[in-house]
Coordinates of all heavy atoms in Angstrom, one line a residue:
F219 N 103.9 -64.3 -101.2 CA 105.1 -65.2 -100.9 C 105.4 -66.0 -102.2 O 104.6 -66.3 -103.0 CB 104.7 -66.1 -99.9 CG 104.5 -65.5 -98.5 CD1 104.4 -64.2 -98.3 CD2 104.4 -66.4 -97.4 CE1 104.2 -63.6 -97.0 CE2 104.2 -65.9 -96.1 CZ 104.1 -64.5 -95.9
T220 N 106.7 -66.3 -102.3 CA 107.3 -67.1 -103.4 C 108.2 -68.1 -102.8 O 109.1 -67.9 -102.1 CB 108.0 -66.3 -104.4 OG1 107.1 -65.2 -104.9 CG2 108.5 -67.1 -105.6
I221 N 107.9 -69.4 -103.2 CA 108.8 -70.5 -102.8 C 109.6 -70.9 -104.0 O 109.3 -70.8 -105.2 CB 107.9 -71.8 -102.3 CG1 108.8 -72.8 -101.7 CG2 107.1 -72.4 -103.5 CD1 108.0 -73.9 -101.0
S222 N 110.9 -71.2 -103.7 CA 111.8 -71.7 -104.8 C 112.8 -72.7 -104.2 O 112.9 -72.8 -102.9 CB 112.5 -70.5 -105.3 OG 113.3 -69.8 -104.4
R223 N 113.5 -73.4 -105.0 CA 114.5 -74.3 -104.6 C 115.7 -74.3 -105.4 O 115.7 -74.0 -106.6 CB 113.9 -75.8 -104.6 CG 113.5 -76.3 -105.9 CD 112.7 -77.6 -105.8 NE 113.5 -78.6 -105.1 CZ 112.9 -79.7 -104.6 NH1 111.6 -79.9 -104.6 NH2 113.7 -80.7 -104.0
D224 N 116.9 -74.6 -104.7 CA 118.1 -74.7 -105.5 C 118.6 -76.1 -105.1 O 119.2 -76.4 -104.1 CB 119.1 -73.6 -104.9 CG 120.4 -73.6 -105.7 OD1 120.7 -74.6 -106.2 OD2 121.1 -72.6 -105.7
N225 N 118.5 -77.0 -106.0 CA 118.9 -78.4 -105.8 C 120.4 -78.6 -105.6 O 120.8 -79.5 -104.9 CB 118.4 -79.3 -106.9 CG 116.9 -79.5 -106.9 OD1 116.2 -79.3 -105.8 ND2 116.3 -79.9 -108.0
A226 N 121.1 -77.7 -106.2 CA 122.7 -77.8 -106.1 C 123.1 -77.4 -104.7 O 124.1 -77.8 -104.2 CB 123.3 -76.9 -107.1
K227 N 122.2 -76.6 -104.0 CA 122.5 -76.2 -102.6 C 121.7 -76.9 -101.6 O 121.8 -76.6 -100.4 CB 122.3 -74.7 -102.5 CG 123.4 -73.9 -103.3 CD 123.1 -72.4 -103.1 CE 124.1 -71.6 -104.0 NZ 123.9 -70.1 -103.7
N228 N 120.8 -77.9 -101.9 CA 120.0 -78.6 -101.1 C 119.2 -77.6 -100.2 O 119.0 -77.8 -99.0 CB 120.8 -79.5 -100.1 CG 121.2 -80.8 -100.8 OD1 121.1 -80.9 -102.1 ND2 121.8 -81.6 -100.1
T229 N 118.7 -76.5 -100.8 CA 118.1 -75.5 -100.1 C 116.7 -75.1 -100.7 O 116.6 -75.0 -101.9 CB 119.0 -74.3 -100.0 OG1 120.2 -74.6 -99.4 CG2 118.3 -73.1 -99.3
V230 N 115.8 -74.9 -99.9 CA 114.4 -74.3 -100.3 C 114.3 -72.9 -99.6 O 114.7 -72.7 -98.5 CB 113.3 -75.2 -100.0 CG1 113.1 -75.5 -98.5 CG2 112.0 -74.7 -100.6
Y231 N 113.7 -72.0 -100.4 CA 113.6 -70.6 -99.9 C 112.1 -70.2 -99.9 O 111.2 -70.7 -100.6 CB 114.3 -69.6 -100.9 CG 115.8 -69.9 -101.1 CD1 116.2 -70.7 -102.2 CD2 116.7 -69.5 -100.1 CE1 117.5 -70.9 -102.4 CE2 118.1 -69.8 -100.3 CZ 118.5 -70.5 -101.5 OH 119.8 -70.8 -101.7
L232 N 111.8 -69.3 -99.0 CA 110.5 -68.7 -99.0 C 110.7 -67.2 -98.9 O 111.1 -66.6 -97.9 CB 109.7 -69.1 -97.8 CG 108.2 -68.5 -97.8 CD1 107.4 -69.2 -98.9 CD2 107.5 -68.9 -96.4
Q233 N 110.4 -66.5 -100.1 CA 110.5 -65.0 -100.1 C 109.1 -64.5 -99.7 O 108.1 -64.8 -100.3 CB 110.8 -64.5 -101.5 CG 110.9 -63.0 -101.7 CD 112.0 -62.4 -100.9 OE1 113.1 -62.9 -100.9 NE2 111.7 -61.3 -100.2
M234 N 109.1 -63.7 -98.6 CA 107.9 -63.1 -98.1 C 107.9 -61.6 -98.3 O 108.7 -61.0 -97.6 CB 107.8 -63.5 -96.6 CG 107.8 -65.0 -96.4 SD 107.6 -65.5 -94.7 CE 108.9 -64.8 -93.9
N235 N 107.0 -61.1 -98.9 CA 106.8 -59.7 -99.2 C 105.4 -59.2 -98.7 O 104.6 -60.0 -98.4 CB 106.9 -59.3 -100.7 CG 108.2 -59.8 -101.3 OD1 109.3 -59.7 -100.6 ND2 108.2 -60.2 -102.6
S236 N 105.4 -57.9 -98.5 CA 104.1 -57.2 -98.0 C 103.6 -58.0 -96.8 O 102.4 -58.3 -96.7 CB 103.0 -57.4 -99.1 OG 103.5 -56.7 -100.2
L237 N 104.5 -58.1 -95.8 CA 104.1 -59.0 -94.6 C 103.1 -58.2 -93.8 O 103.1 -57.0 -93.7 CB 105.4 -59.3 -93.7 CG 106.3 -60.4 -94.3 CD1 107.7 -60.3 -93.9 CD2 105.6 -61.7 -94.0
K238 N 102.3 -59.0 -93.1 CA 101.1 -58.5 -92.3 C 101.4 -59.1 -90.9 O 101.9 -60.1 -90.7 CB 99.8 -59.0 -92.8 CG 99.6 -58.6 -94.3 CD 98.2 -59.2 -94.8 CE 98.1 -58.8 -96.3 NZ 96.8 -59.4 -96.8
P239 N 100.7 -58.4 -89.9 CA 100.9 -58.9 -88.5 C 100.3 -60.3 -88.4 O 100.8 -61.1 -87.6 CB 100.0 -58.0 -87.7 CG 100.1 -56.6 -88.5 CD 100.2 -57.0 -89.9
E240 N 99.3 -60.7 -89.2 CA 98.8 -62.0 -89.1 C 99.7 -63.2 -89.8 O 99.4 -64.3 -89.7 CB 97.4 -62.1 -89.9 CG 97.3 -61.5 -91.2 CD 96.8 -60.1 -91.3 OE1 97.3 -59.3 -90.4 OE2 96.1 -59.8 -92.2
D241 N 100.8 -62.7 -90.4 CA 101.8 -63.7 -90.8 C 102.7 -64.1 -89.7 O 103.5 -65.0 -89.9 CB 102.7 -63.0 -91.9 CG 101.9 -62.8 -93.2 OD1 101.1 -63.6 -93.6 OD2 102.1 -61.7 -93.8
T242 N 102.6 -63.5 -88.5 CA 103.4 -63.8 -87.4 C 103.1 -65.3 -87.0 O 102.0 -65.7 -86.8 CB 103.0 -62.9 -86.2 OG1 103.4 -61.6 -86.5 CG2 103.8 -63.4 -84.9
A243 N 104.2 -66.1 -86.9 CA 104.1 -67.5 -86.6 C 105.5 -68.1 -86.5 O 106.5 -67.4 -87.0 CB 103.3 -68.3 -87.7
V244 N 105.5 -69.4 -86.2 CA 106.8 -70.1 -86.4 C 106.7 -70.8 -87.7 O 105.6 -71.5 -88.0 CB 107.0 -71.2 -85.2 CG1 108.3 -72.0 -85.5 CG2 107.1 -70.5 -83.8
Y245 N 107.7 -70.7 -88.6 CA 107.6 -71.3 -89.9 C 108.5 -72.5 -89.9 O 109.7 -72.5 -89.5 CB 108.1 -70.2 -90.9 CG 107.2 -69.1 -91.2 CD1 106.8 -68.2 -90.2 CD2 106.5 -69.1 -92.5 CE1 105.8 -67.3 -90.5 CE2 105.5 -68.2 -92.6 CZ 105.2 -67.3 -91.7 OH 104.2 -66.3 -92.0
F246 N 108.0 -73.6 -90.4 CA 108.6 -74.9 -90.4 C 108.8 -75.3 -91.9 O 108.0 -75.1 -92.8 CB 107.7 -75.9 -89.8 CG 107.5 -75.7 -88.3 CD1 106.4 -74.9 -87.9 CD2 108.3 -76.2 -87.4 CE1 106.2 -74.8 -86.5 CE2 108.1 -76.0 -86.0 CZ 107.0 -75.3 -85.6
C247 N 110.0 -75.9 -92.1 CA 110.3 -76.5 -93.4 C 110.0 -78.0 -93.3 O 110.2 -78.7 -92.3 CB 111.7 -76.3 -93.7 SG 112.4 -77.1 -95.1
K248 N 109.4 -78.6 -94.4 CA 109.1 -80.0 -94.4 C 109.6 -80.6 -95.8 O 109.5 -80.0 -96.9 CB 107.6 -80.3 -94.4 CG 107.2 -81.7 -94.3 CD 105.8 -82.0 -94.2 CE 105.0 -82.0 -95.5 NZ 103.6 -82.5 -95.3
A249 N 110.2 -81.9 -95.7 CA 110.6 -82.6 -96.8 C 109.7 -83.8 -97.0 O 109.5 -84.4 -95.9 CB 112.0 -83.0 -96.8
R250 N 109.2 -84.1 -98.1 CA 108.2 -85.2 -98.2 C 108.6 -86.0 -99.5 O 108.6 -85.4 -100.5 CB 106.8 -84.8 -98.2 CG 105.8 -86.0 -98.3 CD 104.4 -85.5 -98.3 NE 104.1 -84.5 -99.4 CZ 103.8 -84.9 -100.7 NH1 103.7 -86.3 -100.9 NH2 103.5 -84.1 -101.6
R251 N 108.7 -87.3 -99.3 CA 108.7 -88.3 -100.4 C 107.8 -89.5 -100.0 O 106.7 -89.4 -100.0 CB 110.1 -88.6 -100.9 CG 110.2 -89.4 -102.2 CD 111.5 -89.7 -102.6 NE 111.4 -90.4 -103.9 CZ 112.5 -91.1 -104.4 NH1 113.6 -91.2 -103.7 NH2 112.4 -91.7 -105.6
F252 N 108.5 -90.5 -99.6 CA 107.8 -91.7 -99.0 C 107.6 -91.5 -97.5 O 106.8 -92.1 -96.9 CB 108.6 -92.9 -99.2 CG 108.8 -93.2 -100.7 CD1 110.1 -93.2 -101.2 CD2 107.7 -93.4 -101.5 CE1 110.3 -93.5 -102.5 CE2 107.9 -93.7 -102.9 CZ 109.3 -93.7 -103.4
T253 N 108.4 -90.6 -96.9 CA 108.2 -90.2 -95.5 C 108.4 -88.7 -95.4 O 108.7 -88.0 -96.4 CB 109.2 -91.0 -94.6 OG1 108.9 -90.8 -93.2 CG2 110.7 -90.5 -94.9
E254 N 108.2 -88.2 -94.1 CA 108.2 -86.8 -93.9 C 109.3 -86.5 -92.9 O 109.5 -87.2 -92.0 CB 107.0 -86.2 -93.5 CG 105.7 -86.3 -94.4 CD 104.5 -85.7 -93.8 OE1 104.5 -85.4 -92.7 OE2 103.5 -85.5 -94.6
Y255 N 109.9 -85.3 -93.2 CA 111.0 -84.8 -92.2 C 110.7 -83.3 -92.0 O 110.3 -82.6 -92.9 CB 112.4 -84.9 -92.7 CG 112.8 -86.4 -93.0 CD1 112.8 -86.8 -94.3 CD2 113.2 -87.2 -92.0 CE1 113.2 -88.2 -94.7 CE2 113.5 -88.5 -92.3 CZ 113.5 -89.0 -93.6 OH 113.8 -90.3 -93.9
W256 N 110.8 -82.9 -90.7 CA 110.4 -81.5 -90.4 C 111.7 -80.9 -89.7 O 112.5 -81.5 -89.1 CB 109.3 -81.5 -89.3 CG 108.0 -81.8 -89.8 CD1 107.4 -83.1 -89.9 CD2 107.0 -80.9 -90.4 NE1 106.2 -83.0 -90.5 CE2 105.9 -81.7 -90.8 CE3 107.0 -79.5 -90.5 CZ2 104.7 -81.1 -91.3 CZ3 105.9 -79.0 -91.1 CH2 104.7 -79.8 -91.4
G257 N 111.8 -79.5 -90.0 CA 112.7 -78.8 -89.3 C 112.2 -78.3 -87.9 O 111.1 -78.6 -87.6
Q258 N 113.0 -77.6 -87.2 CA 112.7 -77.1 -85.8 C 111.9 -75.8 -85.9 O 111.3 -75.4 -84.9 CB 114.0 -77.0 -85.0 CG 114.7 -78.3 -84.7 CD 113.8 -79.2 -84.0 OE1 113.3 -78.9 -82.9 NE2 113.6 -80.4 -84.5
G259 N 112.0 -75.1 -87.0 CA 111.2 -73.9 -87.1 C 112.0 -72.6 -86.8 O 113.0 -72.7 -86.2
T260 N 111.5 -71.5 -87.4 CA 112.1 -70.2 -87.2 C 110.9 -69.2 -87.1 O 110.0 -69.2 -87.7 CB 113.0 -69.8 -88.5 OG1 113.6 -68.5 -88.2 CG2 112.2 -69.7 -89.7
Q261 N 111.1 -68.4 -86.1 CA 110.1 -67.3 -85.6 C 110.1 -66.2 -86.6 O 111.2 -65.6 -86.9 CB 110.4 -66.9 -84.2 CG 109.4 -65.9 -83.8 CD 108.0 -66.4 -83.5 OE1 107.8 -67.5 -82.9 NE2 107.0 -65.7 -84.1

């Protein structure tokens, strides 16, 4: 997996390669500075 960010687009990416059945999950995005914010997740 590779994480990257594009600050101009306010977007963070997760490139997932060679996926395995054990990678099955709901994936959540989190932003953290002085507080934390979470997304709703994607299956």
Side-chain angles (χ1 to χ4, degrees):
F219 291 10
T220 302
I221 189 170
S222 61
R223 65 190 298 160
D224 185 338
N225 290 339
K227 296 182 178 180
N228 285 6
T229 302
V230 61
Y231 303 99
L232 184 68
Q233 178 66 44
M234 305 186 294
N235 299 328
S236 303
L237 282 160
K238 305 174 181 180
E240 51 264 43
D241 294 317
T242 295
V244 178
Y245 284 69
F246 297 90
C247 175
K248 185 179 85 169
R250 179 180 61 84
R251 192 182 179 194
F252 301 116
T253 188
E254 295 182 351
Y255 301 101
W256 289 88
Q258 293 299 306
T260 185
Q261 176 70 47

